[in-house]
Amino acid sequence: MPYNVYSRNCPARLVLDRLADKWALLVIGSLREGTLRFNQLRREVDGVSQKVLSQTLKKLERDGIVARTALPTVPVTVEYALTTLGTTLAETIEHLSSWAESNMEEIQAAQARYDRRETATVAG
Amino acid sequence: MPYNVYSRNCPARLVLDRLADKWALLVIGSLREGTLRFNQLRREVDGVSQKVLSQTLKKLERDGIVARTALPTVPVTVEYALTTLGTTLAETIEHLSSWAESNMEEIQAAQARYDRRETATVAG
DNA sequence: CGGGATCCTTGGTGATACTG
DNA sequence: CAGTATCACCAAGGATCCCG
């Protein structure tokens, strides 16, 4: 193989880098249920600022993952939806999401164990 | 349902937030092939600083995804490996990774299209 | 309503030096 | 080898204001 995914200049790594974006993941997940407008998305993805949401959507649009449609209403209405490509990605992300849901208890238990060891070390 | 994954205080979202970490993803991917030592990992994950690698490993250890073993050699040898939990996560990430590989060409094409439109708009 | 421009703060990042 | 500590730096992110 010419290069592996972990190499800085591997194209797949570039894609992966972008996917490893908390907000992008959350936006894609939100759009799985259907088309949303800018402020709907903003409310759905709790904690995202307007600036970052705007940036994120622009990137995703550029990547062909999200489609942006501006309706000529007054005031303007802008709709965001997943493209076909985006839908396949959303399914993949869904796996990650459900993994997180299934294993979060185990993770929290591990964290508690780790933290107890930490303080125990300090104490004794 | 009590809350959705996109809510700031949803436990699953907390897990997801952490997973949306480029370096964590890359580290987990690297460990899929087997145990690695600190500097091996550092070489494998191209571009990671030692500070960040250290932080990342500590988080992953806390989450019970990675196991850290210090061998009493001189100088000390520290090995990192995936736990059982980590292995299941690695499989999930693999899906994401292979999605990226399969679709990166389409993404790059979309980007080129987008950029052409951009400059076209500017030009005329 | 959607989103650009601006300012300002935080924290990620790299380089360097040091310890066990 | 496997880190920790420190510093200088820059870019990402939040808050705010404003416009079409």
Side-chain angles (χ1 to χ4, degrees), chain B residues 18-34:
Chain B
R18 170 140 328 160
L19 261 40
D21 176 351
K22 163 183 161 182
W23 297 124
L25 250 45
L26 260 11
V27 164
I28 294 169
S30 294
L31 287 177
R32 210 164 25 86
E33 296 143 38

Side-chain angles (χ1 to χ4, degrees), chain B residues 98-111:
Chain B
S98 68
W99 184 93
E101 280 195 83
S102 309
N103 295 96
M104 64 185 182
E105 284 187 20
E106 191 167 343
I107 290 178
Q108 285 170 338
Q111 290 176 349

Side-chain angles (χ1 to χ4, degrees), chain A residues 15 18 59 61-64, chain B residues 104-117:
Chain A
V15 176
R18 169 141 329 160
K59 280 189 212 167
E61 191 195 354
R62 187 171 109 98
D63 289 351
Chain B
M104 64 185 182
E105 284 187 20
E106 191 167 343
I107 290 178
Q108 285 170 338
Q111 290 176 349
R113 239 177 290 129
Y114 184 96
D115 294 345
R116 226 178 305 122
R117 263 203 307 144

Side-chain angles (χ1 to χ4, degrees), chain B residues 23 47 49-52 76:
Chain B
W23 297 124
S49 73
Q50 135 271 49
K51 176 181 168 185
V52 172
V76 65

Side-chain angles (χ1 to χ4, degrees), chain A residues 12 15 18 34 43 48 102 115 118-119:
Chain A
V15 176
R18 169 141 329 160
R43 259 169 272 127
V48 70
S102 310
D115 294 345
E118 284 288 270
T119 56

